[in-house]
Amino acid sequence: MKWEKIEKTVNSFGTTITYAAQGTGRQLLVQSRKRPIPHANGEGTWDLTTYFVLANGETVKECRRLKEAQEYAEAWWTERSEK
């Protein structure tokens, strides 16, 4: 599948980038969510990025890498479309 970046949102909670799988009518998405995490000593933050697979608006899985999320989404979609 080919993935297309369709949206980027930046706010005080972090940055969210949404990718859509072409040919799925935007029913299959992967979201990259970068959030600031406070340091244990209370000084400053560090960024944590996780990737969420969304199918028909519902979260299916959370992954640590974009490639892992996209591969899971493609396998999930293929499995569902074969039925």
Side-chain angles (χ1 to χ4, degrees), residues 9-16 34-37 45 47:
T9 306
V10 180
N11 57 34
S12 61
F13 300 111
T15 302
T16 302
K34 181 166 66 171
R35 304 290 179 250
I37 307 297
T45 61
D47 290 333

Side-chain angles (χ1 to χ4, degrees), residues 52-65:
F52 292 83
V53 177
L54 298 129
N56 299 316
E58 294 185 29
T59 300
V60 177
K61 183 173 174 128
E62 179 180 359
C63 301
R64 291 284 189 173
R65 296 185 178 144

Side-chain angles (χ1 to χ4, degrees), residues 28-56:
L28 185 61
L29 305 171
V30 170
Q31 282 189 338
S32 165
R33 299 178 187 171
K34 181 166 66 171
R35 304 290 179 250
I37 307 297
H39 284 289
N41 64 6
E43 296 179 19
T45 61
W46 58 280
D47 290 333
L48 172 67
T49 303
T50 52
Y51 302 89
F52 292 83
V53 177
L54 298 129
N56 299 316

